[in-house]
């Protein structure tokens, strides 16, 4: 099992990059760089490529609506070249509020877009022939009657470092997860509960894997949560640090009837809590919403407790199919945490 970690830069990109270098030496395998509606991810990924040597540099995630499929392929190939083959391209649909509100692009057909983007990116990287794609959404070149009529099939000028760059997809819905299991190299779930994963995600994963090309290899799963190692009385309170973020996702990360995270928590069995959290959050009562986040949910989506307990949680994630343990160290030196966990998962 590998170790991954989301990399923030609230204290500045240079300070963050210095931490990544230390984490790399401690054994971190994957550094995820978020985008959302902050600074773009690829700029910082390129910077990390220049100051690190081994750690994989991953976009977590690039929204599928904000770049053309070809630009996504070019960007991943560029970071892969800068890093000598250490790029992972994370893709996701984001949500209507960000895509339509911040980018001004219609949020439509996420499944079909994801499929075509993956197909186009892999054709660009293989560079076997001038790019031609005739899908329901993307047509390359544009056909007669659209545009100027001067479009020409082209190949990527540069030869990519790798003919195939890993694509991980952030998906939660049943059909999107099925698509992920069919086409992607890896899956990026959120609020992953190992004990409930098979019941909630199993049918979609099985349906997708049944159509999966064997050449892709096994589907990688990147999941985990906050980590703190210590006596229960000393670290239990750290679980509550996830309350604000969890309430945000369940209650406010999407519209009333279009919140994928809320739907997931309902599928986990917290229907009443999810409904009330959303009601309170959308009404502006954030603290009340945070207080209603189930303690059990916080515990099952974290690795916080004594060494023996954390080791048990790691084993639970492994048994649920997780191949890359995603961690957020709390209440201590993150470098020491990575060193310790690396010795346990290696």
């Amino acid at each position: 099992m590998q170790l991954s970690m989301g990399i923030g830069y609230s204290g500045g990109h240079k300070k963050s990059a210095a931490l990544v270098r230390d984490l790399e030496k401690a054994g971190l395998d994957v550094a995820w760089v978020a985008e959302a509606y902050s600074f773009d991810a690829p700029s910082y990924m390129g910077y990390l490529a220049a100051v690190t040597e081994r750690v994989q540099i991953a976009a977590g995630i690039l929204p599928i609506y904000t770049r053309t499929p070809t630009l996504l392929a070019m960007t991943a190939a560029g970071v892969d070249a800068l890093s000598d083959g250490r790029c992972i391209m994370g893709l996701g649909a984001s949500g209507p509020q960000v895509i339509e509100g911040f980018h001004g692009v219609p949020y439509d057909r996420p499944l079909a877009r994801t499929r075509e983007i993956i197909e186009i990116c892999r054709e660009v990287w293989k560079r076997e022939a001038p790019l031609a794609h005739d899908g329901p959404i993307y047509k390359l070149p544009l056909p007669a009657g659209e545009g100027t009529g001067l479009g020409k099939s082209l190949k990527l000028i540069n030869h990519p470092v790798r003919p195939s760059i890993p694509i991980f997809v952030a998906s939660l819905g049943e059909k999107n997860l099925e698509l992920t299991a069919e086409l992607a190299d890896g899956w990026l779930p959120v609020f992953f509960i190992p004990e409930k994963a098979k019941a909630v995600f199993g049918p979609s994963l099985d349906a997708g894997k049944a159509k999966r090309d064997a050449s892709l290899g096994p589907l990688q799963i990147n999941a985990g949560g906050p980590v703190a190692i210590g006596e229960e009385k000393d670290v239990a309170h750290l679980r509550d640090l996830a309350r604000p973020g969890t309430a945000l996702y369940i209650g406010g990360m999407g519209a009333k009837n279009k919140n994928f995270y809320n739907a997931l928590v309902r599928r986990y069995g917290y229907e009443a809590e999810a409904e009330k959290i959303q009601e309170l959050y959308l009404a502006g009562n954030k603290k009340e919403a945070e207080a209603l986040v189930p303690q059990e949910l916080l515990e099952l989506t974290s690795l916080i407790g004594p060494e023996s307990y954390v080791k048990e949680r790691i084993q639970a994630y492994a048994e649920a199919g997780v191949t890359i343990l995603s961690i957020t160290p709390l209440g201590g030196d993150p470098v020491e945490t990575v060193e310790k966990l690396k010795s346990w998962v290696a």
Side-chain angles (χ1 to χ4, degrees):
M1 182 184 286
Q2 293 186 313
L3 284 182
S4 75
M5 184 173 162
I7 306 300
Y9 46 80
S10 59
H13 287 89
K14 292 182 179 179
K15 182 178 179 180
S16 172
L19 174 60
V20 175
R21 287 198 299 269
D22 292 338
L23 293 170
E24 177 182 55
K25 294 174 183 176
L28 188 70
D29 298 292
V30 184
W32 290 98
V33 180
E35 184 165 280
Y37 43 98
S38 181
F39 293 144
D40 75 295
S43 294
Y44 186 39
M45 292 171 70
Y47 184 81
L48 285 178
V51 299
T52 57
E53 297 178 354
R54 183 192 60 80
V55 69
Q56 296 172 79
I57 302 166
I61 58 171
L62 300 180
I64 60 175
Y65 295 92
T66 58
R67 299 165 175 85
T68 67
T70 317
L71 178 56
L72 284 166
M74 294 165 63
T75 299
V79 174
D80 211 46
L82 289 171
S83 62
D84 296 322
R86 293 184 284 132
C87 177
I88 295 175
M89 184 169 72
L91 296 176
S94 186
Q97 290 183 324
V98 173
I99 299 306
E100 296 185 354
F102 194 63
H103 295 284
V105 177
Y107 189 90
D108 64 345
R109 296 182 285 178
L111 294 179
R113 287 186 186 277
T114 301
R115 179 179 291 277
E116 288 194 59
I117 286 170
I118 292 174
E119 292 172 351
I120 292 169
C121 283
R122 287 176 173 157
E123 288 301 313
V124 170
W125 298 329
K126 285 191 294 187
R127 208 177 168 275
E128 292 177 344
L131 182 62
H133 180 86
D134 185 16
I137 299 176
Y138 300 106
K139 299 183 185 300
L140 306 170
L142 282 176
E146 295 186 33
T148 64
L150 301 176
K152 180 180 179 180
S153 291
L154 299 169
K155 282 194 214 179
L156 188 69
I157 292 175
N158 312 79
H159 289 262
V161 171
R162 294 182 290 176
S164 182
I165 296 170
I167 298 174
F168 280 53
V169 175
S171 53
L172 291 176
E174 295 177 12
K175 290 299 182 182
N176 199 3
L177 178 52
E178 181 179 333
L179 177 73
T180 300
E182 176 190 352
L183 292 179
D185 296 282
W187 173 38
L188 298 169
V190 67
F191 301 141
F192 186 91
I193 298 179
E195 293 81 0
K196 299 186 179 187
K198 184 175 182 179
V200 173
F201 302 121
S204 295
L205 288 172
D206 291 343
K209 289 176 181 177
K211 297 177 284 185
R212 186 177 180 84
D213 188 327
S215 66
L216 290 173
L219 180 72
Q220 304 297 305
I221 300 178
N222 180 98
V227 177
I229 304 167
E231 295 301 318
E232 180 69 14
K233 62 181 177 60
D234 297 324
V235 299
H237 68 283
L238 294 174
R239 297 189 185 104
D240 287 320
L241 294 178
R243 282 189 181 278
T246 304
L248 166 63
Y249 275 82
I250 297 173
M253 197 65 78
K256 175 70 175 176
N257 59 351
K258 196 74 171 180
N259 182 321
F260 308 114
Y261 311 99
N262 188 282
L264 171 62
V265 172
R266 288 171 183 267
R267 289 164 65 193
Y268 276 151
Y270 304 108
E271 294 93 344
E273 295 90 336
E275 182 172 353
K276 190 62 177 178
I277 289 169
Q278 186 179 57
E279 177 185 319
L280 289 168
Y281 206 96
L282 294 179
N285 301 316
K286 297 181 180 180
K287 290 298 181 182
E288 293 179 44
E290 292 170 13
L292 289 183
V293 174
Q295 188 67 35
E296 181 185 61
L297 177 63
L298 295 177
E299 181 173 344
L300 292 176
T301 54
S302 65
L303 301 93
I304 295 175
E307 284 194 6
S308 59
Y309 175 78
V310 174
K311 288 179 179 179
E312 289 176 2
R313 296 307 296 156
I314 292 173
Q315 183 61 32
Y317 278 97
E319 291 175 356
V322 172
T323 57
I324 305 173
L325 185 67
S326 176
I327 63 169
T328 302
L330 301 176
D333 183 349
V335 175
E336 291 182 2
T337 299
V338 168
E339 286 178 340
K340 182 169 288 189
L341 292 178
K342 187 65 176 180
S343 70
W344 295 348
V345 304

